[in-house]
């Protein structure tokens, strides 16, 4: 059960590559193309992790995250937020809404898989948001994950 | 004469060396034994005015006169004594007696009258005329100025309202001068103008009551205020005016009026506004384009990577080469977009800085650890030399790391063989970081362009390109936001050294 991941993005190409990568890494993947179907599938399928795009038509990712964290059945599902808005919006606000971490697009798949692995492993131990490794390279900077302000 | 009569020691006197001839008119008051009246006259180009008292009995040649004479340019009366040398009585119609008198005048030292007289004598000017002339000149200066100007006196009556002011407000000087209607040129309801407040010696609080945050004390003129506001009732569609009001003072510093100059800044405001809007549109455009680009880029990048690493089935060597090429260029595109957005944010001041106390040596060590392998791949000797016990200073660790990564990346990229060294040091009230390489060096004429945005120097001897042209521009912005400085020294064939310093105290930019 814990190895099931819900990927939410309105761009089907992004869903497709993420699905491919995650399946290759041994996870079960289900997809959703908007906030509403994400909320429904999160309830029905009870995934171990949700990868959620921020900019979507309809309810945006922040709102979806907030609603997930308010739902009894879904409040314990960790959320990784994917965004092209890196640095443009106050990401700490998203973290307040309960996201475990932010990853900016274009993402580095190794970073993403590492986050997924850590969060799911942490979930098993009842922990969340393990401190991530430090990566420094231009154009591939991960944004602050809270606690830095 | 008087010299003989009053030989008192401390009474110095100055003597007019000729007689002042005074024509004076005396209003005869029958019951009184003293005649008093006004006198006025000019002698030796000095104009005098005054009041005199004469005993009726003594009104004959040789009698003594006591005169109080005012010089027009001075408000203090000057006590003079003289002698009637001759007199002639002329009978006028309404009981007025006219006397023509020649007086020899002496002045006694009371206060600084002594100084005063001697000041006047060498001038040989008609004070009244001088005054009239200077008033006329002042009027002409105000009138001739192309800056809308008006003047009020201490009773708040308009005394000057120049042509430029007429054309700005559309109200003629005729309608204004001598009235207190100056408010009507600017407002629909009666209220004091800045000049009125100054003449009324209004408190700072009162002024703030009328002008809120739109005014400030003039930095140039003492006691003056300047303000900027939109006036709906000036001109056809209203005008933005910048105005300065300054007090006019007499010699003793008492406020005797105020002058206000106005500037129509409507056009400037309009240009500023449209410029701001254009900048905003540009920013939004760059922002939107960059975001829109990122989504397809993400899909392309991952799709290539999936095929390239063999996850989707085996590929041959040539296919791999071409996919590598595609990947390299997608990465470059991603960097370009990232940097363009970064620079945009810096330019708009929207970049968030997380300033904390940090150890610069730790940052350098981190970079050394992460970039050693890259330098190793290029066959370079990459080392660090750290100054012990550097003070912890306040900076944004991520941003300064970005600066250093950028510089070190460049050094590694452009250096074929030899070494790249990062050193830290301490200067006066600052910490310095330097990155030295043994690369080809940069031509002197290219150095100033180095930190400009979108500048890329021609690669030396067919060397590698592929930056975004924004790295150093961003680095410069970041360092300067920390109130630091970044610069470069280079010698062709020897190598290049980038330096930057961060201040030890007071950080926030």
């Amino acid at each position: 059960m814990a190895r099931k991941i819900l990927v939410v993005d309105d761009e089907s190409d992004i869903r497709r590559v993420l699905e491919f990568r995650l399946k290759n890494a041994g996870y079960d993947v289900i997809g959703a193309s908007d906030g509403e179907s994400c909320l429904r599938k999160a309830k029905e399928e009870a995934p171990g992790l949700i990868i959620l795009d921020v900019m979507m038509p309809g309810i945006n990712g922040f709102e979806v995250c907030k609603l997930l964290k308010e739902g009894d059945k879904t409040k314990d599902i960790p959320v990784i937020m994917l965004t092209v808005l890196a640095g443009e919006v106050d990401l700490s606000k998203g973290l307040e809404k309960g996201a475990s971490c932010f990853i900016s697009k274009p993402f580095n798949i190794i970073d993403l898989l590492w986050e997924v692995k850590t969060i799911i492993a942490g979930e098993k131990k009842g922990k969340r948001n393990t401190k991530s490794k430090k990566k420094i390279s231009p154009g591939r900077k991960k944004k602050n994950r809270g606690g830095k302000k | 004469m008087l010299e003989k009569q009053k030989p008192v020691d401390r009474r110095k006197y100055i003597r007019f060396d000729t007689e002042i001839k005074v024509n004076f008119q005396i209003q005869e008051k029958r019951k009184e034994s003293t005649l008093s009246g006004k006198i006025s006259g000019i002698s030796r180009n000095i104009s005098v005015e005054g009041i005199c008292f004469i005993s009726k009995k003594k009104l004959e040649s040789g009698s003594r006169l006591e005169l109080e004479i005012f010089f027009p340019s001075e408000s203090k009366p000057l006590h003079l004594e003289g002698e009637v040398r001759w007199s002639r009585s002329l009978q006028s119609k309404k009981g007025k007696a006219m006397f023509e008198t020649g007086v020899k005048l002496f002045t006694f030292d009371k206060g600084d009258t002594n100084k005063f007289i001697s000041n006047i004598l060498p001038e040989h000017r008609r004070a009244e005329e001088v005054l009239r002339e200077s008033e006329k000149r002042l009027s002409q200066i105000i009138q001739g100025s192309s800056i809308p100007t008006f003047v009020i006196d201490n009773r708040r009556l308009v005394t000057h309202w120049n042509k430029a002011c007429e054309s700005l407000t559309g109200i003629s000087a005729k309608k204004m001068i001598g009235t207190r209607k100056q408010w009507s040129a600017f407002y629909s309801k009666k209220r004091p103008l800045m000049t009125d407040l100054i003449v009324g010696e209004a408190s700072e609080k009162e002024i703030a009551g009328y002008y809120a945050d739109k005014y400030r004390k003039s930095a140039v003129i003492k006691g003056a205020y300047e303000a900027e506001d939109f006036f709906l009732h000036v001109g056809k569609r209203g005008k933005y005016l910048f105005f300065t009001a300054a007090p006019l003072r007499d010699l003793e510093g008492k406020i005797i009026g105020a002058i206000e100059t106005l500037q129509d800044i409507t056009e400037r405001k309009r240009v500023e506004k449209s410029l701001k809007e254009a900048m905003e549109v540009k920013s939004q455009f760059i922002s939107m384009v960059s975001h829109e680009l990122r989504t397809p880029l993400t899909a392309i990048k991952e799709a290539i990577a999936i095929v390239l690493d063999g996850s989707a089935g085996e590929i041959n060597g040539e296919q791999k080469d071409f996919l590598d090429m595609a990947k390299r260029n997608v990465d470059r595109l991603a960097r370009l977009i990232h940097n363009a957005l970064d620079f945009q944010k810096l330019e708009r001041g929207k970049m968030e800085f997380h300033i904390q106390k940090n150890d610069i040596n730790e940052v350098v060590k981190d970079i050394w650890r992460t970039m050693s392998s890259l330098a190793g791949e290029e066959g370079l000797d990459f080392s660090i030399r750290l100054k012990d016990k550097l003070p912890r200073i306040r900076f944004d660790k991520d941003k300064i790391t970005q600066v250093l990564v950028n510089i070190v990346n460049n050094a590694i990229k452009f250096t074929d063989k030899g070494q790249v060294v990062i050193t830290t040091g301490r200067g006066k009230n600052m910490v310095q970081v330097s990155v030295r390489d043994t690369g080809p060096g940069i031509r002197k004429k290219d150095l100033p362009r180095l930190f400009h945005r979108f500048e890329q120097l021609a690669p030396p001897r067919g060397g590698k390109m592929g930056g975004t042209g924004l790295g150093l521009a961003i680095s410069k912005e970041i360092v300067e936001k920390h109130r630091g400085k970044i610069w470069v020294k280079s010698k062709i064939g020897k190598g290049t050294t980038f330096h930057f310093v961060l201040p030890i105290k007071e950080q926030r930019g």
Side-chain angles (χ1 to χ4, degrees):
Chain A
M1 201 60 135
R3 293 190 73 79
K4 191 193 280 180
I5 298 171
L6 174 58
V7 175
V8 192
D9 199 313
D10 59 313
E11 292 275 338
S12 61
D13 288 351
I14 303 282
R15 282 204 310 276
R16 173 93 198 277
V17 290
L18 276 176
E19 200 179 313
F20 185 93
R21 285 298 198 187
L22 292 166
K23 275 185 178 161
N24 251 18
Y27 300 100
D28 290 337
V29 182
I30 45 173
S33 61
D34 56 51
E36 275 160 28
S37 53
C38 163
L39 291 169
R40 200 182 62 241
K41 284 184 182 172
K43 249 186 257 172
E44 288 168 3
E45 311 261 350
L49 171 71
I50 298 174
I51 298 177
L52 180 60
D53 184 36
V54 172
M55 295 244 284
M56 287 188 297
I59 333 171
N60 74 32
F62 288 131
E63 285 301 304
V64 174
C65 186
K66 195 175 154 235
L67 291 170
L68 282 170
K69 294 297 160 188
E70 281 167 6
D72 267 351
K73 282 184 180 174
T74 54
K75 67 174 190 288
D76 292 326
I77 309 173
V79 176
I80 292 178
M81 303 217 74
L82 274 188
T83 178
V84 291
L85 294 171
E88 286 290 289
V89 289
D90 193 355
L91 296 183
S92 60
K93 268 184 198 160
L95 292 170
E96 277 166 23
K97 294 204 162 82
S100 297
C101 76
F102 269 90
I103 289 181
S104 61
K105 284 180 182 176
F107 47 80
N108 180 290
I109 195 65
I110 296 164
D111 287 352
L112 181 65
L113 289 175
W114 197 86
E115 286 294 344
V116 169
K117 194 178 152 193
T118 330
I119 288 171
I120 286 185
E123 200 62 15
K124 276 180 188 162
K125 287 179 208 153
K127 273 195 229 157
R128 207 200 283 168
N129 203 6
T130 323
K131 195 173 184 274
S132 90
K133 64 181 170 178
K134 185 164 281 167
K135 282 242 170 206
I136 302 155
S137 81
R140 213 184 72 186
K141 250 182 88 231
K142 277 186 283 174
K143 291 298 150 182
N144 61 319
R145 26 194 74 118
K148 251 191 175 180
K149 287 208 100 172
Chain B
M1 296 243 302
L2 274 168
E3 291 108 304
K4 290 169 198 162
Q5 288 168 2
K6 303 211 169 186
V8 188
D9 293 348
R10 289 172 58 229
R11 289 183 178 182
K12 291 180 203 160
Y13 62 87
I14 285 182
R15 197 180 150 148
F16 283 68
D17 46 19
T18 54
E19 289 177 352
I20 291 182
K21 284 190 178 172
V22 189
N23 291 316
F24 65 99
Q25 231 182 0
I26 292 176
Q27 183 83 49
E28 193 178 349
K29 289 178 184 168
R30 286 164 201 252
K31 286 175 186 171
E32 283 170 22
S33 59
T34 310
L35 293 175
S36 66
K38 282 182 180 173
I39 62 163
S40 67
I42 292 163
S43 177
R44 287 292 301 263
N45 293 337
I46 296 168
S47 126
V48 289
E49 271 184 312
I51 312 164
C52 69
F53 308 90
I54 313 167
S55 153
K56 272 181 184 174
K57 282 179 190 168
K58 287 182 178 176
L59 200 62
E60 52 192 72
S61 193
S63 42
R64 278 186 59 207
L65 280 177
E66 275 185 25
L67 304 168
E68 275 214 320
I69 291 183
F70 295 84
F71 285 82
S73 59
E74 177 62 58
S75 53
K76 285 178 191 165
L78 201 59
H79 188 81
L80 300 162
E81 286 186 74
E83 195 179 44
V84 179
R85 297 291 292 275
W86 52 270
S87 72
R88 194 152 56 100
S89 151
L90 296 163
Q91 203 61 42
S92 75
K93 286 172 193 170
K94 289 177 185 174
K96 278 182 184 173
M98 297 284 289
F99 296 92
E100 201 180 5
T101 306
V103 220
K104 200 149 196 174
L105 295 167
F106 304 94
T107 151
F108 294 95
D109 186 23
K110 288 184 179 174
D112 50 7
T113 49
N114 192 355
K115 200 169 94 196
F116 169 69
I117 294 284
S118 49
N119 272 349
I120 281 197
L121 276 177
E123 281 275 313
H124 293 279
R125 295 290 300 267
R126 295 175 170 198
E128 206 172 274
E129 217 164 88
V130 168
L131 187 73
R132 223 181 286 131
E133 223 170 70
S134 95
E135 249 175 18
K136 201 173 153 196
R137 200 182 307 142
L138 177 70
S139 277
Q140 279 177 345
I141 290 170
I142 291 171
Q143 199 62 8
S145 164
S146 63
I147 299 164
T149 307
F150 67 89
V151 181
I152 63 168
D153 66 13
N154 59 354
R155 291 168 299 167
R156 297 175 201 184
L157 296 170
V158 177
T159 58
H160 297 80
W161 189 270
N162 75 357
K163 280 260 185 286
C165 200
E166 284 181 333
S167 76
L168 176 81
T169 59
I171 296 171
S172 69
K174 263 188 191 171
K175 280 188 185 161
M176 277 299 169
I177 288 175
T179 73
R180 290 192 182 94
K181 284 193 286 188
Q182 53 271 38
W183 61 270
S184 65
F186 306 99
Y187 299 101
S188 60
K189 278 183 189 167
K190 189 173 179 182
R191 57 159 281 178
L193 302 182
M194 195 65 100
T195 41
D196 300 318
L197 293 168
I198 285 177
V199 166
E201 301 192 50
S203 66
E204 191 82 9
K205 209 176 158 189
E206 262 177 278
I207 295 174
Y210 283 106
Y211 291 96
D213 55 349
K214 290 169 186 151
Y215 83 103
R216 58 175 180 261
K217 270 186 182 167
S218 164
V220 190
I221 309 153
K222 202 187 155 203
Y225 289 94
E226 49 196 36
E228 194 179 296
D229 206 354
F230 183 74
F231 292 87
L232 189 62
H233 300 282
V234 178
K236 275 180 194 160
R237 284 186 226 151
K239 280 184 160 103
Y240 267 105
L241 299 178
F242 174 82
F243 48 101
T244 308
L248 301 172
R249 297 174 189 276
D250 65 10
L251 289 171
E252 283 161 1
K254 212 177 86 195
I255 291 180
I256 53 163
I259 181 167
E260 184 160 326
T261 55
L262 304 128
Q263 242 177 299
D264 183 354
I265 54 166
T266 314
E267 185 59 17
R268 199 185 83 199
K269 281 277 175 188
R270 196 186 61 76
V271 171
E272 269 174 14
K273 200 178 154 212
S274 57
L275 194 70
K276 215 174 152 193
E277 280 167 3
M279 290 288 284
E280 198 49 43
V281 168
K282 186 193 112 190
S283 295
Q284 279 173 2
F285 180 74
I286 291 184
S287 205
M288 187 202 67
V289 166
S290 309
H291 289 142
E292 289 301 310
L293 285 172
R294 279 177 170 188
T295 303
L297 200 67
T298 307
I300 296 170
K301 189 176 168 234
E302 265 323 288
I304 292 170
I306 285 168
V307 182
L308 188 61
D309 66 14
S311 302
E314 258 184 55
I315 51 169
N316 68 32
E318 201 154 15
Q319 286 168 339
K320 190 177 177 302
D321 281 350
F322 282 114
L323 281 174
D324 266 329
M325 185 199 291
K327 182 182 183 298
R328 263 201 323 276
N329 282 284
V330 167
D331 285 347
R332 184 172 155 195
L333 200 56
R335 272 204 309 278
L336 181 64
I337 292 166
H338 183 89
N339 283 353
L341 264 179
D342 254 15
F343 193 74
Q344 183 70 14
K345 270 183 274 169
L346 275 167
E347 223 181 18
R348 285 159 69 198
K350 294 236 168 133
M351 179 74 85
E352 274 182 46
F353 283 81
H354 304 282
I355 306 274
Q356 279 180 332
K357 273 210 165 179
N358 283 303
D359 182 350
I360 195 79
N361 281 343
E362 283 305 314
V363 174
V364 173
K365 275 188 221 165
D366 269 353
I367 284 169
W368 181 73
R369 276 194 287 267
T370 47
M371 298 188 79
S372 277
S373 60
L374 179 66
E377 280 168 27
E378 301 284 328
L380 298 172
D381 173 15
F382 181 33
S383 58
I384 50 177
R385 283 175 208 162
L386 305 178
K387 169 98 179 160
D388 278 348
K389 289 175 194 161
L390 278 179
R392 285 166 66 80
I393 56 169
R394 287 168 57 77
F395 61 88
D396 182 323
K397 199 173 171 184
D398 281 358
K399 299 283 188 299
I400 293 300
T401 300
Q402 191 183 343
V403 171
L404 255 175
V405 164
N406 189 20
I407 297 171
V408 172
N409 237 339
N410 278 343
I412 293 173
K413 194 161 73 179
F414 292 113
T415 306
D416 291 333
K417 59 175 185 178
Q419 52 182 356
V420 173
V421 187
I422 313 178
T423 49
T424 57
R426 187 178 174 163
K428 198 185 170 192
N429 208 19
M430 60 200 176
V431 165
Q432 179 166 337
V433 182
S434 308
V435 179
R436 184 171 58 81
D437 67 47
T438 55
I442 302 161
R443 278 171 298 184
K444 207 170 182 180
K445 65 168 181 149
D446 289 334
L447 285 176
R449 283 165 50 216
L450 213 53
F451 293 99
H452 291 183
R453 65 184 112 157
F454 298 117
E455 279 293 352
Q456 281 204 353
L457 307 179
R461 297 189 304 276
K464 298 150 266 187
M465 280 286 280
T468 61
L470 278 170
L472 285 174
I474 291 171
S475 299
K476 183 169 182 268
E477 287 279 338
I478 290 174
V479 170
E480 283 174 0
K481 282 279 184 325
H482 284 86
R483 306 211 169 158
K485 252 169 81 178
I486 186 166
W487 71 98
V488 62
K489 281 184 178 165
S490 188
K491 230 176 188 173
I492 288 286
K494 296 269 180 194
T496 304
T497 309
F498 278 88
H499 305 272
F500 70 86
V501 289
L502 297 173
I504 288 174
K505 277 180 200 160
E506 197 225 1
Q507 286 289 300
R508 189 72 220 200

